Amino acid sequence: MSKIALITGASSGFGEATARQLADNGWQLVIVARRLERLELLKNELGNAVIECVCLDVRDRQGVKALLEPWNGKVDLLINNAGLAAGLEMAWNASLDDWDLMIDTNIKGLTYVTRALLSGMVKKGQGHVINMGSIAGSYNYPGGNTYGASKAFVERFSMNLRSDLHGTGVRVTNIEPGMSETEFSKVRFKGDVEKAKHLYKGTKALQPEDIAASIVWCASQPEHVNINRLEIMPTVQAFGALPIARE
Ligand code: NDP
Ligand code: 8X3
């Protein structure tokens, strides 16, 4: 019998590419995002592999409970991918609305979805939670402030889940991609497509399919193997030197 994966943020980028690759590998899918029309297009493309499109804002705690708890106990793989960066301002100029948006989505939303689906996995003694972290959770950069901190939360939450789930048979993985060409920068720069394009110009960024392949690989390991963290960068990206301000 096919296993069931529930993917948040399946209307674009990593989530959409992962849905395609999991479908190719025989998984059945519950796909979640706010843009239902995008989910329905994906369902048309993938046919019977998609068993439900769920139009949901992961920030809506009651909505998550109402729409996802019915899947508790049925889902074998949860991919907590929905998330975003909003703005790249220095902390003293940043918008508190942007900070709330990232905290509410990347941190609180991810915990609501996890909580809605985890007890069913524990009961079955089998399951896998794959969280979408980022290199921004490990390496700081100017303007990364709350976004990076939200992804550091995702990494710590993932590893603490490993502790809670020890002995239950449920696996947890934190995927930590670097610069990837999706709608991420368009969203970060509030729809400024030129600014978003400029970021990727003259580089070979990671593509959504690269990250999808990593997710499928983690999910395909034998059950006694748990990939804890997977950090992936494009070859063109590396670490900056530690800057020193001089008088
Ligand atoms: P995209 O903008 O292409 O995709 C983001 C997805 O998240 C969309 O499907 C969007 O759907 C969904 N989403 C956003 N907010 C909500 C919400 N409140 N409720 C439900 N769904 C939501 O970007 P990526 O594919 O790049 O991003 C996916 C994840 O990967 C994010 O967590 C991001 O932080 C992370 N990441 C991205 C990197 C990059 O460089 N691109 C690198 C490292 C990590 P909709 O708008 O329809 O709701
Ligand atoms: C997105 C990667 O480096 O743009 O999580 O913050 S980065």
Side-chain angles (χ1 to χ4, degrees):
M1 213 173 70
S2 294
K3 288 192 169 183
I4 299 180
L6 185 144
I7 311 172
T8 68
S11 60
S12 169
F14 298 159
E16 185 180 0
T18 302
R20 287 200 178 94
Q21 292 190 20
L22 285 174
D24 282 349
N25 281 275
W27 287 77
Q28 290 205 289
L29 307 171
V30 179
I31 53 177
V32 181
R34 292 166 299 179
R35 287 171 293 179
L36 183 61
E37 67 288 356
R38 292 267 197 115
L39 297 179
E40 281 171 347
L41 279 177
L42 190 59
K43 182 175 165 51
N44 287 343
E45 179 190 326
L46 300 179
N48 289 339
V50 176
I51 45 182
E52 191 176 328
C53 297
V54 181
C55 179
L56 174 66
D57 186 328
V58 296
R59 292 172 294 171
D60 173 5
R61 182 168 154 179
Q62 293 314 321
V64 169
K65 191 174 159 62
L67 295 178
L68 298 192
E69 273 192 4
W71 288 103
N72 194 19
K74 298 180 183 147
V75 167
D76 301 285
L77 170 63
L78 162 62
I79 303 177
N80 264 322
N81 162 74
L84 79 172
L88 192 62
E89 309 299 329
M90 295 301 108
W92 60 91
N93 281 329
S95 147
L96 279 177
D97 286 341
D98 283 350
W99 284 10
D100 275 347
L101 177 60
M102 291 185 276
I103 291 166
D104 290 347
T105 310
N106 301 354
I107 298 180
K108 293 170 73 177
L110 182 138
T111 62
Y112 300 157
V113 174
T114 306
R115 187 64 183 80
L117 296 169
L118 201 56
S119 62
M121 292 184 182
V122 171
K123 215 175 205 169
K124 283 203 298 186
Q126 177 263 332
H128 194 168
V129 179
I130 298 186
N131 289 331
M132 190 52 68
S134 166
I135 58 160
S138 303
Y139 309 102
N140 37 292
Y141 59 83
N145 44 67
T146 297
Y147 177 69
S150 74
K151 292 302 186 180
F153 172 90
V154 174
E155 189 275 333
R156 276 300 85 195
F157 185 61
S158 301
M159 293 309 106
N160 275 293
L161 282 178
R162 285 279 288 133
S163 294
D164 285 2
L165 292 164
H166 181 234
T168 65
V170 180
R171 299 185 285 177
V172 184
T173 300
N174 198 50
I175 307 277
E176 302 169 14
M179 182 177 68
S180 311
E181 202 167 353
T182 61
E183 293 181 11
F184 176 84
S185 293
K186 183 179 156 203
V187 171
R188 175 171 237 172
F189 298 130
K190 321 276 167 67
D192 187 335
V193 179
E194 286 314 309
K195 207 168 167 182
K197 269 194 198 151
H198 184 72
L199 185 75
Y200 305 116
K201 203 172 163 199
T203 72
K204 180 71 183 159
L206 295 171
Q207 300 299 304
E209 294 73 23
D210 300 321
I211 299 308
S214 305
I215 291 172
V216 173
W217 178 75
C218 290
S220 311
Q221 294 307 302
E223 289 203 359
H224 68 283
V225 177
N226 190 101
I227 308 297
N228 292 337
R229 300 174 55 233
L230 192 57
E231 183 179 295
I232 310 154
M233 282 184 182
T235 311
V236 295
Q237 189 173 37
F239 321 98
L242 296 176
I244 296 168
R246 299 182 195 278
E247 289 178 11

